[in-house]
Amino acid sequence: YNVIPERVSLGGTVRAFAVETMRLVEERMRALAQSTAAGFGATAELEFREITVPVVNAEGEARLIGDAA
């Protein structure tokens, strides 16, 4: 207790229905991390990896499968 670490790491996942939304999330996360760190006289790095693009199902087929389920 009462020890301030030299480094900290935070991880998580993000999902979105559109590529544009994912870009906005990355931009906002980067700005938030950097401004929060700057407020404490520190720096921040954000590693944002997109592993795959969003999957958006065709409306008709999704409705058909949903009705069948």
Side-chain angles (χ1 to χ4, degrees):
Y1 301 126
N2 201 23
V3 175
I4 300 173
E6 189 172 314
R7 303 188 83 149
V8 68
S9 176
L10 176 66
T13 59
V14 176
R15 296 176 190 219
F17 288 115
V19 173
E20 297 80 18
T21 304
M22 189 64 78
R23 299 275 185 271
L24 180 61
V25 168
E26 178 181 5
E27 178 184 312
R28 298 279 172 86
M29 286 178 69
R30 189 173 308 281
L32 182 59
Q34 291 173 345
S35 63
T36 301
F40 289 97
T43 59
E45 294 179 19
L46 177 68
E47 180 183 334
F48 196 94
R49 294 182 288 167
E50 286 188 49
I51 298 172
T52 186
V53 296
V55 174
V56 179
N57 297 312
E59 184 178 345
E61 287 80 357
R63 183 172 308 161
L64 176 70
I65 297 301
D67 291 344

